Protein backbone atom coordinates (compact mmCIF):
# COMPACT_ATOMS: atom_id res chain seq x y z
CA UNK A 1 0.00 0.00 0.00
CA UNK A 2 2.74 2.47 0.98
CA UNK A 3 5.65 0.79 -0.82
CA UNK A 4 6.09 3.45 -3.50
CA UNK A 5 6.01 6.33 -1.06
CA UNK A 6 8.49 4.55 1.21
CA UNK A 7 11.27 4.53 -1.41
CA UNK A 8 14.10 6.82 -0.42
CA UNK A 9 14.51 10.03 -2.38
CA UNK A 10 17.99 11.19 -3.42
CA UNK A 11 17.95 14.00 -0.84
CA UNK A 12 16.89 11.55 1.85
CA UNK A 13 19.72 9.18 0.99
CA UNK A 14 22.23 12.00 1.24
CA UNK A 15 20.76 13.21 4.53
CA UNK A 16 20.70 9.75 6.10
CA UNK A 17 24.21 8.75 4.96
CA UNK A 18 25.73 12.12 5.84
CA UNK A 19 24.13 12.53 9.25
CA UNK A 20 24.70 8.88 10.21
CA UNK A 21 28.36 9.35 9.27
CA UNK A 22 28.55 12.53 11.36
CA UNK A 23 27.00 10.85 14.38
CA UNK A 24 29.20 7.76 14.03
CA UNK A 25 32.46 9.70 13.59
CA UNK A 26 31.71 11.79 16.67
CA UNK A 27 30.99 8.70 18.77
CA UNK A 28 34.10 7.06 17.32
CA UNK A 29 36.18 9.96 18.64
CA UNK A 30 34.62 9.64 22.09
CA UNK A 31 34.95 5.85 22.27
CA UNK A 32 38.51 5.48 20.88
CA UNK A 33 39.90 6.80 24.15
CA UNK A 34 38.06 4.15 26.18
CA UNK A 35 40.46 1.18 25.77
CA UNK A 36 43.68 3.26 25.97
CA UNK A 37 43.30 6.18 28.37
CA UNK A 38 43.95 4.22 31.58
CA UNK A 39 47.31 2.98 30.27
CA UNK A 40 48.61 6.05 28.47
CA UNK A 41 47.41 8.63 31.01
CA UNK A 42 49.89 7.22 33.54
CA UNK A 43 52.54 9.42 31.94
CA UNK A 44 50.53 12.63 32.44
CA UNK A 45 51.30 14.95 35.35
CA UNK A 46 48.94 14.55 38.29
CA UNK A 47 47.45 11.30 37.00
CA UNK A 48 45.62 9.09 39.52
CA UNK A 49 43.09 6.26 38.97
CA UNK A 50 40.33 8.57 40.20
CA UNK A 51 41.22 11.37 37.78
CA UNK A 52 41.64 8.90 34.92
CA UNK A 53 38.10 7.72 35.63
CA UNK A 54 36.86 11.31 35.62
CA UNK A 55 38.62 11.90 32.28
CA UNK A 56 36.94 8.83 30.83
CA UNK A 57 33.43 9.84 31.83
CA UNK A 58 33.40 13.64 32.07
CA UNK A 59 32.08 13.99 28.51
CA UNK A 60 28.86 12.37 29.70
CA UNK A 61 28.17 15.15 32.20
CA UNK A 62 28.50 17.98 29.69
CA UNK A 63 26.67 15.98 27.03
CA UNK A 64 23.74 15.27 29.37
CA UNK A 65 23.60 18.91 30.45
CA UNK A 66 23.69 20.48 26.99
CA UNK A 67 22.02 18.08 24.56
CA UNK A 68 18.47 19.33 25.18
CA UNK A 69 19.44 23.07 25.15
CA UNK A 70 21.31 22.51 21.87
CA UNK A 71 18.26 20.79 20.42
CA UNK A 72 16.01 23.69 21.41
CA UNK A 73 18.55 26.19 20.05
CA UNK A 74 18.47 24.38 16.70
CA UNK A 75 14.71 25.08 16.55
CA UNK A 76 15.49 28.81 16.70
CA UNK A 77 18.67 29.43 14.71
CA UNK A 78 18.82 26.42 12.42
CA UNK A 79 19.98 22.80 12.62
CA UNK A 80 23.14 23.11 10.53
CA UNK A 81 24.38 26.13 12.46
CA UNK A 82 24.01 24.34 15.78
CA UNK A 83 25.59 21.13 14.44
CA UNK A 84 28.53 23.11 13.00
CA UNK A 85 28.95 24.94 16.31
CA UNK A 86 28.91 21.64 18.19
CA UNK A 87 31.46 20.09 15.84
CA UNK A 88 33.79 23.07 16.28
CA UNK A 89 33.51 22.78 20.08
CA UNK A 90 34.18 19.04 19.79
CA UNK A 91 37.25 19.67 17.64
CA UNK A 92 38.48 22.30 20.10
CA UNK A 93 38.13 19.80 22.94
CA UNK A 94 40.09 17.22 20.95
CA UNK A 95 42.91 19.73 20.35
CA UNK A 96 42.99 20.74 24.04
CA UNK A 97 43.26 17.07 25.06
CA UNK A 98 45.92 16.37 22.40
CA UNK A 99 48.12 19.22 23.64
CA UNK A 100 47.61 18.44 27.35
CA UNK A 101 50.62 17.48 29.45
CA UNK A 102 48.55 16.85 32.59
CA UNK A 103 45.49 14.80 33.41
CA UNK A 104 43.60 18.02 34.10
CA UNK A 105 44.15 19.12 30.50
CA UNK A 106 42.70 15.83 29.26
CA UNK A 107 39.71 16.25 31.59
CA UNK A 108 39.11 19.75 30.21
CA UNK A 109 39.41 18.47 26.63
CA UNK A 110 36.98 15.60 27.24
CA UNK A 111 34.52 17.99 28.90
CA UNK A 112 34.68 20.25 25.85
CA UNK A 113 34.16 17.24 23.57
CA UNK A 114 30.94 16.45 25.42
CA UNK A 115 29.91 20.11 25.23
CA UNK A 116 29.51 19.72 21.48
CA UNK A 117 26.19 18.06 22.25
CA UNK A 118 24.69 17.81 18.78
CA UNK A 119 22.85 14.49 19.03
CA UNK A 120 19.39 16.08 19.36
CA UNK A 121 20.10 18.57 16.56
CA UNK A 122 21.27 15.79 14.22
CA UNK A 123 18.13 13.77 14.89
CA UNK A 124 15.94 16.84 14.37
CA UNK A 125 17.67 17.66 11.06
CA UNK A 126 17.21 14.07 9.93
CA UNK A 127 13.51 14.32 10.79
CA UNK A 128 13.27 17.59 8.85
CA UNK A 129 14.72 15.92 5.76
CA UNK A 130 12.81 12.63 5.77
CA UNK A 131 9.18 11.81 5.24
CA UNK A 132 7.10 10.09 7.88
CA UNK A 133 7.11 6.83 5.89
CA UNK A 134 10.90 6.42 6.02
CA UNK A 135 11.76 8.18 9.27
CA UNK A 136 11.81 5.07 11.45
CA UNK A 137 14.29 3.37 9.10
CA UNK A 138 16.38 6.54 9.03
CA UNK A 139 16.57 6.64 12.83
CA UNK A 140 17.47 2.94 12.90
CA UNK A 141 20.41 3.73 10.60
CA UNK A 142 21.70 6.22 13.17
CA UNK A 143 21.39 3.60 15.90
CA UNK A 144 23.26 1.04 13.81
CA UNK A 145 26.03 3.54 13.10
CA UNK A 146 26.59 4.03 16.84
CA UNK A 147 27.06 0.30 17.40
CA UNK A 148 29.46 0.02 14.49
CA UNK A 149 31.46 3.05 15.66
CA UNK A 150 31.85 1.51 19.14
CA UNK A 151 33.20 -1.74 17.70
CA UNK A 152 35.61 0.10 15.38
CA UNK A 153 36.78 2.36 18.21
CA UNK A 154 37.68 -0.62 20.39
CA UNK A 155 39.98 -1.88 17.63
CA UNK A 156 41.35 1.35 16.15
CA UNK A 157 41.94 3.16 19.46
CA UNK A 158 44.68 0.80 20.76
CA UNK A 159 46.34 0.57 17.34
CA UNK A 160 46.40 4.35 16.89
CA UNK A 161 47.64 4.94 20.45
CA UNK A 162 50.46 2.40 19.99
CA UNK A 163 51.52 4.21 16.80
CA UNK A 164 51.02 7.88 17.74
CA UNK A 165 50.41 7.93 21.49
CA UNK A 166 47.37 9.25 23.35
CA UNK A 167 47.82 12.67 21.74
CA UNK A 168 47.60 11.00 18.34
CA UNK A 169 44.16 9.61 19.17
CA UNK A 170 42.90 13.12 19.98
CA UNK A 171 44.54 14.66 16.88
CA UNK A 172 42.88 12.01 14.71
CA UNK A 173 39.55 12.83 16.35
CA UNK A 174 40.02 16.53 15.57
CA UNK A 175 40.78 15.67 11.93
CA UNK A 176 37.66 13.50 11.72
CA UNK A 177 35.61 16.43 13.01
CA UNK A 178 36.94 18.78 10.33
CA UNK A 179 35.98 16.20 7.70
CA UNK A 180 32.57 16.09 9.35
CA UNK A 181 32.17 19.84 8.81
CA UNK A 182 32.79 19.35 5.09
CA UNK A 183 30.23 16.55 4.98
CA UNK A 184 27.71 18.75 6.78
CA UNK A 185 27.97 21.67 4.38
CA UNK A 186 28.78 19.92 1.10
CA UNK A 187 26.94 16.57 1.28
CA UNK A 188 23.97 16.94 3.64
CA UNK A 189 21.30 18.85 1.68
CA UNK A 190 19.68 22.01 3.07
CA UNK A 191 16.66 21.28 5.24
CA UNK A 192 13.42 22.16 3.42
CA UNK A 193 11.71 22.97 6.72
CA UNK A 194 12.34 23.33 10.42
CA UNK A 195 9.57 21.79 12.49
CA UNK A 196 9.03 20.26 15.89
CA UNK A 197 8.88 16.47 15.74
CA UNK A 198 7.33 14.67 18.68
CA UNK A 199 8.86 11.38 17.55
CA UNK A 200 12.34 12.97 17.72
CA UNK A 201 12.37 16.14 19.85
CA UNK A 202 11.47 16.92 23.44
CA UNK A 203 7.86 17.83 24.27
CA UNK A 204 7.62 19.49 27.69
CA UNK A 205 3.95 18.56 28.04
CA UNK A 206 4.86 14.86 27.79
CA UNK A 207 7.86 15.04 30.11
CA UNK A 208 6.07 14.31 33.41
CA UNK A 209 4.19 11.37 31.94
CA UNK A 210 7.40 9.89 30.57
CA UNK A 211 9.55 10.17 33.71
CA UNK A 212 6.87 8.89 36.09
CA UNK A 213 5.96 5.69 34.24
CA UNK A 214 7.65 2.72 35.98
CA UNK A 215 8.22 0.76 32.77
CA UNK A 216 9.96 3.70 31.10
CA UNK A 217 12.14 4.68 34.05
CA UNK A 218 13.26 1.07 34.34
CA UNK A 219 14.60 1.37 30.80
CA UNK A 220 16.23 4.70 31.71
CA UNK A 221 17.79 2.92 34.70
CA UNK A 222 19.00 0.15 32.38
CA UNK A 223 20.85 2.39 29.94
CA UNK A 224 22.22 4.39 32.89
CA UNK A 225 23.56 1.25 34.58
CA UNK A 226 24.83 -0.27 31.32
CA UNK A 227 27.04 2.70 30.49
CA UNK A 228 28.02 3.15 34.14
CA UNK A 229 29.57 -0.32 34.30
CA UNK A 230 31.08 0.05 30.81
CA UNK A 231 32.96 3.23 31.71
CA UNK A 232 33.90 1.95 35.16
CA UNK A 233 35.53 -1.29 34.05
CA UNK A 234 37.74 0.41 31.46
CA UNK A 235 39.72 1.88 34.33
CA UNK A 236 40.83 -1.72 34.91
CA UNK A 237 40.39 -3.84 31.75
CA UNK A 238 43.49 -2.52 29.87
CA UNK A 239 45.70 -3.47 32.84
CA UNK A 240 44.12 -6.94 32.94
CA UNK A 241 45.09 -7.45 29.32
CA UNK A 242 48.64 -6.38 30.12
CA UNK A 243 48.82 -8.83 33.03
CA UNK A 244 47.54 -11.57 30.70
CA UNK A 245 50.58 -11.00 28.49
CA UNK A 246 48.89 -8.98 25.73
CA UNK A 247 51.24 -6.18 24.63
CA UNK A 248 49.71 -2.71 24.31
CA UNK A 249 50.10 -2.69 20.53
CA UNK A 250 48.06 -5.94 20.35
CA UNK A 251 45.13 -4.81 22.49
CA UNK A 252 43.23 -3.87 19.33
CA UNK A 253 43.48 -7.45 18.07
CA UNK A 254 42.22 -8.75 21.40
CA UNK A 255 39.21 -6.44 21.29
CA UNK A 256 38.62 -7.32 17.63
CA UNK A 257 38.28 -11.02 18.46
CA UNK A 258 36.13 -10.40 21.52
CA UNK A 259 33.80 -7.93 19.79
CA UNK A 260 33.44 -10.04 16.64
CA UNK A 261 32.50 -13.15 18.60
CA UNK A 262 30.12 -11.21 20.85
CA UNK A 263 28.30 -9.76 17.81
CA UNK A 264 27.92 -13.25 16.35
CA UNK A 265 26.54 -14.55 19.67
CA UNK A 266 24.21 -11.55 20.02
CA UNK A 267 22.41 -11.85 16.67
CA UNK A 268 20.33 -14.99 17.38
CA UNK A 269 19.40 -13.59 20.80
CA UNK A 270 18.11 -10.37 19.21
CA UNK A 271 16.08 -12.46 16.74
CA UNK A 272 14.54 -14.42 19.60
CA UNK A 273 13.75 -11.17 21.46
CA UNK A 274 12.06 -9.53 18.46
CA UNK A 275 10.43 -12.40 16.61
CA UNK A 276 9.28 -14.44 19.60
CA UNK A 277 8.37 -11.48 21.82
CA UNK A 278 10.95 -12.41 24.47
CA UNK A 279 12.29 -8.89 25.12
CA UNK A 280 12.14 -9.09 28.90
CA UNK A 281 13.67 -12.58 29.06
CA UNK A 282 16.59 -11.55 26.82
CA UNK A 283 17.06 -8.36 28.84
CA UNK A 284 17.29 -10.32 32.10
CA UNK A 285 19.60 -12.85 30.45
CA UNK A 286 21.93 -10.07 29.28
CA UNK A 287 22.03 -8.36 32.70
CA UNK A 288 22.62 -11.75 34.33
CA UNK A 289 25.53 -12.36 31.95
CA UNK A 290 27.00 -9.00 32.95
CA UNK A 291 26.64 -9.84 36.66
CA UNK A 292 28.37 -13.21 36.23
CA UNK A 293 31.16 -11.86 34.02
CA UNK A 294 31.94 -8.90 36.28
CA UNK A 295 31.91 -11.09 39.39
CA UNK A 296 34.31 -13.51 37.73
CA UNK A 297 36.60 -10.71 36.52
CA UNK A 298 36.92 -9.54 40.13
CA UNK A 299 37.90 -13.00 41.38
CA UNK A 300 40.77 -15.40 40.61
CA UNK A 301 38.47 -17.01 38.00
CA UNK A 302 39.75 -14.51 35.40
CA UNK A 303 43.30 -15.82 35.07
CA UNK A 304 44.76 -16.78 31.68
CA UNK A 305 42.29 -17.53 28.89
CA UNK A 306 39.37 -17.07 31.29
CA UNK A 307 39.91 -13.30 31.07
CA UNK A 308 38.89 -13.43 27.41
CA UNK A 309 35.97 -15.75 28.12
CA UNK A 310 34.49 -13.38 30.69
CA UNK A 311 35.09 -10.31 28.52
CA UNK A 312 33.29 -12.14 25.71
CA UNK A 313 30.35 -12.85 28.04
CA UNK A 314 30.27 -9.21 29.17
CA UNK A 315 30.28 -7.76 25.66
CA UNK A 316 27.65 -10.24 24.45
CA UNK A 317 25.36 -8.97 27.20
CA UNK A 318 26.34 -5.38 26.53
CA UNK A 319 25.69 -5.57 22.78
CA UNK A 320 22.41 -7.41 23.31
CA UNK A 321 21.17 -4.63 25.60
CA UNK A 322 22.42 -1.89 23.26
CA UNK A 323 20.29 -3.46 20.53
CA UNK A 324 17.14 -4.28 22.54
CA UNK A 325 16.74 -1.41 25.01
CA UNK A 326 15.98 1.27 22.36
CA UNK A 327 13.51 -1.14 20.74
CA UNK A 328 11.78 -1.67 24.08
CA UNK A 329 11.64 2.09 24.63
CA UNK A 330 10.07 2.56 21.21
CA UNK A 331 7.42 -0.05 21.98
CA UNK A 332 6.53 1.37 25.40
CA UNK A 333 6.63 5.12 24.73
CA UNK A 334 3.15 6.67 24.36
CA UNK A 335 2.01 7.86 20.94
CA UNK A 336 3.61 11.22 20.21
CA UNK A 337 6.04 10.94 23.12
CA UNK A 338 8.81 8.84 21.59
CA UNK A 339 11.12 11.83 21.18
CA UNK A 340 10.63 12.88 24.81
CA UNK A 341 11.15 9.33 26.05
CA UNK A 342 14.34 8.92 24.00
CA UNK A 343 15.60 12.31 25.21
CA UNK A 344 15.33 11.19 28.85
CA UNK A 345 16.83 7.83 27.87
CA UNK A 346 19.86 9.48 26.21
CA UNK A 347 20.38 11.82 29.16
CA UNK A 348 20.37 8.79 31.47
CA UNK A 349 22.98 7.12 29.26
CA UNK A 350 25.36 10.07 29.41
CA UNK A 351 24.94 10.52 33.16
CA UNK A 352 25.72 6.83 33.58
CA UNK A 353 28.93 7.27 31.57
CA UNK A 354 30.03 10.17 33.79
CA UNK A 355 29.26 8.47 37.09
CA UNK A 356 30.70 5.18 35.84
CA UNK A 357 34.07 6.67 34.99
CA UNK A 358 34.19 8.50 38.31
CA UNK A 359 33.07 5.45 40.31
CA UNK A 360 35.52 3.15 38.55
CA UNK A 361 38.37 5.56 39.24
CA UNK A 362 37.35 5.92 42.89
CA UNK A 363 37.15 2.15 43.45
CA UNK A 364 40.49 1.56 41.73
CA UNK A 365 42.12 4.40 43.64
CA UNK A 366 40.81 3.21 47.02
CA UNK A 367 40.73 -0.60 46.86
CA UNK A 368 42.43 -1.66 43.62
CA UNK A 369 41.37 -3.04 40.26
CA UNK A 370 39.43 -6.06 41.56
CA UNK A 371 37.16 -3.72 43.51
CA UNK A 372 36.07 -2.10 40.23
CA UNK A 373 34.65 -5.37 38.93
CA UNK A 374 33.13 -6.47 42.24
CA UNK A 375 31.50 -3.08 42.82
CA UNK A 376 30.05 -3.02 39.31
CA UNK A 377 28.81 -6.62 39.68
CA UNK A 378 26.93 -5.61 42.84
CA UNK A 379 25.32 -2.65 41.08
CA UNK A 380 24.41 -4.87 38.11
CA UNK A 381 22.75 -7.34 40.50
CA UNK A 382 20.59 -4.54 41.92
CA UNK A 383 19.76 -3.55 38.35
CA UNK A 384 18.70 -7.14 37.55
CA UNK A 385 16.40 -7.17 40.58
CA UNK A 386 14.85 -3.85 39.53
CA UNK A 387 14.08 -5.25 36.06
CA UNK A 388 12.67 -8.53 37.38
CA UNK A 389 9.20 -7.09 38.03
CA UNK A 390 8.97 -5.14 34.80
CA UNK A 391 6.08 -6.36 32.61
CA UNK A 392 6.96 -7.70 29.18
CA UNK A 393 6.64 -4.96 26.55
CA UNK A 394 3.73 -5.44 24.13
CA UNK A 395 4.52 -6.05 20.43
CA UNK A 396 3.82 -2.44 19.46
CA UNK A 397 5.54 -0.09 17.04
CA UNK A 398 5.25 3.61 16.29
CA UNK A 399 3.79 5.00 13.10
CA UNK A 400 3.54 8.61 11.94
CA UNK A 401 1.05 9.52 9.22
CA UNK A 402 0.56 12.84 7.46
CA UNK A 403 -2.82 14.57 7.38
CA UNK A 404 -3.58 15.98 3.95
CA UNK A 405 -7.09 17.28 3.42
CA UNK A 406 -8.70 16.70 6.81
CA UNK A 407 -10.60 19.72 8.08
CA UNK A 408 -9.79 20.91 11.63
CA UNK A 409 -13.36 20.40 12.84
CA UNK A 410 -13.22 16.75 11.74
CA UNK A 411 -10.07 15.84 13.68
CA UNK A 412 -11.86 14.69 16.84
CA UNK A 413 -14.05 12.35 14.78
CA UNK A 414 -10.98 11.09 12.92
CA UNK A 415 -9.26 10.35 16.21
CA UNK A 416 -12.26 8.31 17.39
CA UNK A 417 -12.33 6.33 14.14
CA UNK A 418 -8.60 5.67 14.33
CA UNK A 419 -8.93 4.40 17.89
CA UNK A 420 -11.55 1.91 16.66
CA UNK A 421 -9.26 0.40 14.00
CA UNK A 422 -8.14 -3.10 14.92
CA UNK A 423 -4.51 -3.11 16.02
CA UNK A 424 -4.36 0.62 16.88
CA UNK A 425 -3.54 0.88 20.58
CA UNK A 426 -2.88 4.62 21.03
CA UNK A 427 -3.58 7.75 18.98
CA UNK A 428 -2.41 11.36 19.08
CA UNK A 429 -3.51 13.87 16.46
CA UNK A 430 -1.45 17.06 16.31
CA UNK A 431 -3.23 19.62 14.09
CA UNK A 432 -0.40 22.17 14.01
CA UNK A 433 2.01 19.54 12.70
CA UNK A 434 -0.60 17.98 10.37
CA UNK A 435 0.49 14.59 11.71
CA UNK A 436 -1.06 11.58 13.43
CA UNK A 437 1.06 9.57 15.87
CA UNK A 438 -0.02 5.95 16.36
CA UNK A 439 1.03 2.94 18.44
CA UNK A 440 0.04 -0.16 16.52
CA UNK A 441 0.20 -3.92 16.85
CA UNK A 442 1.18 -4.87 13.31
CA UNK A 443 0.12 -8.47 13.79
CA UNK A 444 -3.46 -7.33 14.38
CA UNK A 445 -3.52 -4.08 12.39
CA UNK A 446 -6.35 -3.62 9.89
CA UNK A 447 -4.23 -1.84 7.28
CA UNK A 448 -7.11 -1.45 4.85
CA UNK A 449 -9.23 0.39 7.41
CA UNK A 450 -6.30 2.63 8.31
CA UNK A 451 -5.71 3.45 4.65
CA UNK A 452 -9.35 4.40 4.14
CA UNK A 453 -9.14 6.87 7.02
CA UNK A 454 -5.75 8.33 6.03
CA UNK A 455 -4.91 7.65 2.36
CA UNK A 456 -1.23 7.72 1.38
CA UNK A 457 0.05 10.88 -0.37
CA UNK A 458 -0.52 11.09 -4.11
CA UNK A 459 2.43 11.23 -6.50
Amino acid sequence: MRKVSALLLVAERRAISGLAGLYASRMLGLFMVLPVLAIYADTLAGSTPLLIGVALGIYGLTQATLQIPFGLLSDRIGRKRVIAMGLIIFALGSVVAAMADSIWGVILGRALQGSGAIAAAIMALLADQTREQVRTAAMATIGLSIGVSFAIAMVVGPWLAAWAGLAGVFWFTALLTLVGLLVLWRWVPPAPRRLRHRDVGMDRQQFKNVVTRPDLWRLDLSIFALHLVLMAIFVAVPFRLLSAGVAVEHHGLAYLGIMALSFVAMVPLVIVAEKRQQMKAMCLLAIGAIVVSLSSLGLPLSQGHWLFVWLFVFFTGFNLLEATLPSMMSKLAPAGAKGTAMGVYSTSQFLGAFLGGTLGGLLAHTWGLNAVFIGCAFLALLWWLAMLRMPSPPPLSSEVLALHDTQPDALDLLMEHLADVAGVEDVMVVPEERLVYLKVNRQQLDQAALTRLIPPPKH
Side-chain angles (χ1 to χ4, degrees):
M1 182 274 294
R2 301 179 192 271
K3 289 183 180 178
V4 175
S5 62
L7 293 175
L8 287 175
L9 305 176
V10 173
E12 288 174 331
R13 290 195 190 97
R14 289 180 59 177
I16 293 170
S17 60
L19 293 174
L22 275 179
Y23 206 117
S25 64
R26 182 175 174 279
M27 298 309 295
L28 179 67
L30 288 171
F31 286 142
M32 276 196 300
V33 177
L34 195 58
V36 300
L37 183 60
I39 294 176
Y40 289 88
D42 271 350
T43 61
L44 296 172
S47 178
T48 67
L50 174 58
L51 293 179
I52 289 173
V54 172
L56 276 173
I58 189 66
Y59 82 90
L61 179 61
T62 49
Q63 177 91 357
T65 303
L66 295 174
Q67 68 158 342
I68 292 176
F70 268 50
L72 296 174
L73 183 62
S74 75
D75 291 336
R76 302 187 62 180
I77 69 172
R79 315 292 192 206
K80 281 196 171 185
R81 289 181 180 178
V82 168
I83 294 172
M85 181 173 66
L87 288 173
I88 291 170
I89 294 172
F90 185 81
L92 177 62
S94 301
V95 171
V96 168
M99 298 179 66
D101 56 6
S102 73
I103 190 64
W104 291 105
V106 173
I107 290 173
L108 175 60
R110 292 280 285 174
L112 281 172
Q113 284 184 322
S115 297
I118 56 174
I122 286 178
M123 301 300 272
L125 179 57
L126 187 62
D128 288 340
Q129 297 185 332
T130 53
R131 294 160 295 151
E132 294 80 12
Q133 302 97 312
V134 300
R135 191 169 299 150
T136 298
M139 299 303 170
T141 303
I142 296 284
L144 178 63
S145 72
I146 298 171
V148 172
S149 68
F150 176 77
I152 293 174
M154 297 300 294
V155 177
V156 173
W159 172 79
L160 193 57
W163 175 61
L166 182 61
V169 176
F170 287 117
W171 283 120
F172 179 73
T173 301
L175 179 62
L176 271 181
T177 309
L178 296 180
V179 173
L181 282 169
L182 290 175
V183 170
L184 176 66
W185 291 111
R186 304 296 297 177
W187 179 253
V188 177
R193 54 188 175 168
R194 192 163 74 236
L195 301 172
R196 293 179 62 226
H197 304 278
R198 292 169 189 260
D199 56 335
V200 176
M202 180 71 70
D203 181 6
R204 295 175 184 175
Q205 295 178 345
Q206 297 273 12
F207 183 78
K208 182 178 179 181
N209 182 36
V210 164
V211 298
T212 56
R213 275 185 46 171
D215 53 352
L216 295 183
W217 66 250
R218 280 190 172 94
L219 296 180
D220 296 331
L221 169 67
S222 293
I223 197 64
F224 171 87
L226 182 63
H227 281 259
L228 185 152
V229 298
L230 176 72
M231 283 294 163
I233 67 170
F234 271 98
V235 175
V237 166
F239 295 109
R240 280 298 178 83
L241 289 175
L242 286 176
S243 65
V246 181
V248 173
E249 59 270 22
H250 295 145
H251 281 198
L253 291 175
Y255 289 123
L256 175 61
I258 292 167
M259 296 299 292
L261 290 174
S262 67
F263 272 115
V264 171
M266 172 200 70
V267 170
L269 299 177
V270 171
I271 294 173
V272 170
E274 291 284 356
K275 300 297 184 182
R276 299 190 180 181
Q277 308 301 325
Q278 296 295 321
M279 284 284 188
K280 180 183 175 181
M282 291 299 102
C283 181
L284 290 172
L285 176 65
I287 300 171
I290 288 173
V291 173
V292 171
S293 61
L294 292 177
S295 300
S296 301
L297 286 167
L299 297 172
L301 299 173
S302 61
Q303 300 297 319
H305 69 276
W306 283 105
L307 170 66
F308 303 96
V309 171
W310 296 124
L311 286 175
F312 160 75
V313 172
F314 174 84
F315 279 108
T316 301
F318 175 85
N319 291 326
L320 178 57
L321 288 167
E322 280 284 301
T324 55
L325 287 176
S327 178
M328 292 173 70
M329 180 63 75
S330 179
K331 289 175 168 57
L332 291 171
K338 182 180 176 182
T340 305
M342 291 305 298
V344 176
Y345 176 89
S346 297
T347 300
S348 302
Q349 172 184 329
F350 294 126
L351 287 175
F354 166 63
L355 291 176
T358 305
L359 176 65
L362 179 62
L363 291 173
H365 184 82
T366 308
W367 291 291
L369 299 182
N370 285 344
V372 176
F373 298 111
I374 297 300
C376 288
F378 177 72
L379 291 176
L381 178 59
L382 296 179
W383 168 24
W384 187 88
L385 292 173
M387 293 296 288
L388 191 59
R389 297 183 62 183
M390 178 180 175
S392 297
L396 302 181
S397 57
S398 300
E399 185 160 343
V400 184
L401 302 176
L403 293 171
H404 304 293
D405 303 318
T406 307
Q407 298 299 315
D409 56 357
L411 291 179
D412 288 341
L413 184 60
L414 174 63
M415 189 170 177
E416 292 179 10
H417 288 326
L418 287 171
D420 291 335
V421 174
V424 174
E425 301 293 333
D426 193 12
V427 181
M428 173 182 281
V429 177
V430 187
E432 61 269 22
E433 297 180 20
R434 306 296 296 168
L435 293 175
V436 176
Y437 297 89
L438 303 174
K439 300 292 291 190
V440 301
N441 185 330
R442 297 199 181 280
Q443 298 174 356
Q444 303 172 2
L445 181 62
D446 186 345
Q447 188 67 66
L450 186 60
T451 301
R452 286 194 296 271
L453 288 170
I454 306 180
K458 297 178 182 180
H459 294 278

